[in-house]
């Protein structure tokens, strides 16, 4: 029983490090070939400690990728902002094999105090995105669309089509280019192809999509005219479309755009400390009740064993005495005989 209590007490200091102290995004999805930024928010009292980023779900088997006190890789960097109580990790040009569990942590050190840590799952998938899926420009000017793709589709043909009209699709040739008097397409073969719409007309306004492989991304082009007042007015009705995050630099922020203030963290810290204190107290109460029950059970077992032994000894004594024959003593002087 003592071993159980001692083991439970050794776990108590580790519970706060496992349950609180660091917050980040639970899961992040990013397009292959893009850069990714992960913010990890920590408590004010951890501002001076070393921060780290590693791959894995257990600290003992987590492969370190970046630390604030040591640069380990050119493709992964870490930056600490003690004023905002957040450190950010940037992973450049992520690949599909980079998918998996990662951990950001604050190195508190010592056996009696576990590191503050938080886990996130990064999913890298091949596909497409657009830098800006809503574009507007004045009539007579040009507008450029940037469509990004993962390295898997570097050798695939690229298309630019008007939505609802399959016959309008323009396809890049072997050199990765296409051009006519109104449209120019160029593939840089590194992950981006651009479409330039020349000398915009009102008839060019509408929905388009760029494509490679089996992936398509929609783009809305809005053409503006200039009235006599000199102010630009829109002639199109705004529509809503949901697409994959278009930016080449994906930022996973668990709190944006809310500011991270000391008062908020102090409040959260107080709440977590209260919860952990109560949880620790309840754990000790449960252990005490369990110890008392085990002690009673042990005492009852000892009492029962003693009673059984006494009963057995009494029974054995009766059996022995019943088999002993009576003793006869002779008095030679008086020739009297006595039987016992």
């Amino acid at each position: 029983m003592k071993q159980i209590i001692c083991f439970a007490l050794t776990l108590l200091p580790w519970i706060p490090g496992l349950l609180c102290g660091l917050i980040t995004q639970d899961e992040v999805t990013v397009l292959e070939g893009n850069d990714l930024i992960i913010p990890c928010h920590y408590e004010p009292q951890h501002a001076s400690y070393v921060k780290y980023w590693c791959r894995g779900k257990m600290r003992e088997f987590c492969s370190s990728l970046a630390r604030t006190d040591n640069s380990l890789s050119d493709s992964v960097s870490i930056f600490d902002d003690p004023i905002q109580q957040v450190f950010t990790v940037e992973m450049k040009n992520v690949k599909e094999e980079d998918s998996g569990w990662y951990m950001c942590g604050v190195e508190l050190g010592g056996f009696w105090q576990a590191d503050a840590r938080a886990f996130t799952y990064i999913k890298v998938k091949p596909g497409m995105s657009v830098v800006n899926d809503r574009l507007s420009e004045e009539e007579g000017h040009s507008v450029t669309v940037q469509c990004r793709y993962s390295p898997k589709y570097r050798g695939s043909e690229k298309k630019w089509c008007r939505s609802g009209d399959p016959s309008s699709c323009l396809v890049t040739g072997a050199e990765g280019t296409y051009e006519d008097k109104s449209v120019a397409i160029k593939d840089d073969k590194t992950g981006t192809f651009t479409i330039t719409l020349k000398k915009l007309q009102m008839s060019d306004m509408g929905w388009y999509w760029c494509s490679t492989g089996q992936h398509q991304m929609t783009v809305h082009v809005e053409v503006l005219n200039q009235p006599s007042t000199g102010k630009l007015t829109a002639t199109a009705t705004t529509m809503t479309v949901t697409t994959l995050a278009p930016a080449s630099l994906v930022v996973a922020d668990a709190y944006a755009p809310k500011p991270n203030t000391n008062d908020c963290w102090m409040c959260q810290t107080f709440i977590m400390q209260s919860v952990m204190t109560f949880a620790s107290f309840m754990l000790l109460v449960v252990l005490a009740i369990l110890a008392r029950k085990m002690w009673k059970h042990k005492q009852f077992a000892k009492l029962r064993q003693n009673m059984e032994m006494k009963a057995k000894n009494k029974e054995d004594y009766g059996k022995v005495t019943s088999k002993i024959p009576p003793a006869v003593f002779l008095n030679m002087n008086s020739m009297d005989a006595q039987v016992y």
Side-chain angles (χ1 to χ4, degrees), residues 141-271:
H141 290 71
S142 299
V143 66
T144 300
V145 181
Q146 287 184 306
C147 298
R148 297 183 179 273
Y149 57 88
S150 58
K152 180 179 180 180
Y153 301 103
R154 186 170 298 165
S156 303
E157 64 179 15
K158 313 304 185 295
K159 295 181 181 180
W160 174 254
C161 308
R162 186 148 193 167
S163 181
D165 185 7
S167 63
S168 66
C169 290
L170 305 176
V171 183
T172 58
E175 300 296 326
T177 60
Y178 173 89
E179 187 170 4
D180 60 26
K181 63 179 182 179
S182 59
V183 180
I185 305 175
K186 183 177 181 180
D187 183 9
D188 62 6
K189 299 295 184 177
T190 61
T192 303
F193 71 97
T194 57
I195 303 99
T196 302
L197 303 181
K198 309 173 186 178
K199 298 180 181 180
L200 286 173
Q201 300 177 9
M202 298 303 298
S203 59
D204 294 327
M205 184 168 54
W207 287 97
Y208 298 81
W209 49 267
C210 54
S211 171
T212 184
Q214 300 298 320
H215 299 276
Q216 298 177 354
M217 293 301 298
T218 55
V219 180
H220 185 261
V221 177
E222 186 177 22
V223 182
L224 308 173
N225 59 13
Q226 189 173 9
S228 56
T229 56
K231 296 182 179 180
L232 297 178
T233 58
T235 60
T237 303
T238 302
M239 299 179 67
T240 303
V241 63
T242 302
T243 62
L244 184 70
S248 61
L249 182 63
V250 180
V251 179
D253 197 339
Y255 286 110
K258 296 181 180 180
N260 184 21
T261 62
N262 289 343
D263 293 340
C264 178
W265 281 110
M266 291 298 291
C267 178
Q268 292 181 359
T269 303
F270 175 75
I271 294 174

Side-chain angles (χ1 to χ4, degrees), residues 301-318:
K302 287 184 177 180
L303 179 61
R304 183 176 180 179
Q305 185 179 7
N306 292 334
M307 293 178 65
E308 289 177 351
M309 291 181 64
K310 289 182 178 180
K312 185 176 181 180
N313 292 336
K314 185 176 182 181
E315 181 180 355
D316 293 342
Y317 178 77

Side-chain angles (χ1 to χ4, degrees), residues 4-169:
I4 298 177
I5 296 177
C6 293
F7 177 73
L9 291 176
T10 58
L11 289 179
L12 292 180
W14 288 72
I15 296 177
L18 296 174
L19 299 181
C20 61
L22 203 58
I23 299 175
T24 190
Q25 190 87 349
D26 293 333
E27 183 175 344
V28 180
T29 301
V30 60
L31 186 67
E32 186 180 20
N34 287 350
D35 297 343
L36 174 66
I37 290 182
I38 302 289
C40 300
H41 301 265
Y42 56 84
E43 297 183 354
Q45 63 267 29
H46 296 158
S48 61
Y49 289 89
V50 173
K51 284 77 177 181
Y52 59 86
W53 173 257
C54 62
R55 181 168 186 174
K57 208 173 181 182
M58 294 183 64
R59 180 66 182 98
E60 294 75 12
F61 305 100
C62 199
S63 302
S64 295
L65 300 176
R67 294 172 59 91
T68 54
D69 62 348
N70 187 15
S71 178
L72 302 176
S73 172
D74 295 333
S75 60
V76 182
S77 59
I78 187 170
F79 174 75
D80 186 17
D81 185 356
I83 297 177
Q84 297 296 324
Q85 291 98 50
V86 60
F87 68 93
T88 54
V89 179
E90 181 177 1
M91 300 178 65
K92 300 178 181 178
N93 190 26
V94 294
K95 296 178 174 57
E96 195 170 1
E97 54 266 27
D98 292 327
S99 298
W101 284 100
Y102 291 81
M103 180 177 73
C104 53
V106 178
E107 194 172 71
L108 303 181
F111 176 80
W112 294 102
Q113 190 173 18
D115 291 352
R117 62 189 72 172
F119 300 93
T120 183
Y121 185 81
I122 296 178
K123 183 178 182 181
V124 183
K125 63 179 184 178
M128 286 190 64
S129 66
V130 290
V131 175
N132 191 349
D133 62 354
R134 290 180 177 273
L135 301 169
S136 60
E137 188 53 81
E138 187 179 354
E139 186 178 11
H141 290 71
S142 299
V143 66
T144 300
V145 181
Q146 287 184 306
C147 298
R148 297 183 179 273
Y149 57 88
S150 58
K152 180 179 180 180
Y153 301 103
R154 186 170 298 165
S156 303
E157 64 179 15
K158 313 304 185 295
K159 295 181 181 180
W160 174 254
C161 308
R162 186 148 193 167
S163 181
D165 185 7
S167 63
S168 66
C169 290

Side-chain angles (χ1 to χ4, degrees), residues 285-332:
V285 170
V286 171
L287 290 175
I289 294 175
L290 180 62
R292 181 174 177 81
K293 287 186 177 182
M294 294 182 66
W295 180 80
K296 285 186 175 180
H297 179 75
K298 189 175 182 180
Q299 293 297 321
F300 178 76
K302 287 184 177 180
L303 179 61
R304 183 176 180 179
Q305 185 179 7
N306 292 334
M307 293 178 65
E308 289 177 351
M309 291 181 64
K310 289 182 178 180
K312 185 176 181 180
N313 292 336
K314 185 176 182 181
E315 181 180 355
D316 293 342
Y317 178 77
K319 290 181 180 180
V320 172
T321 54
S322 63
K323 294 180 181 181
I324 299 175
V328 178
F329 297 92
L330 297 176
N331 190 337
M332 300 302 296

Side-chain angles (χ1 to χ4, degrees), residues 12 15-16 19-20 271-281:
L12 292 180
I15 296 177
L19 299 181
C20 61
I271 294 174
M272 290 303 301
Q273 289 178 349
S274 300
V275 172
M276 293 310 306
T277 300
F278 178 75
S280 302
F281 174 75

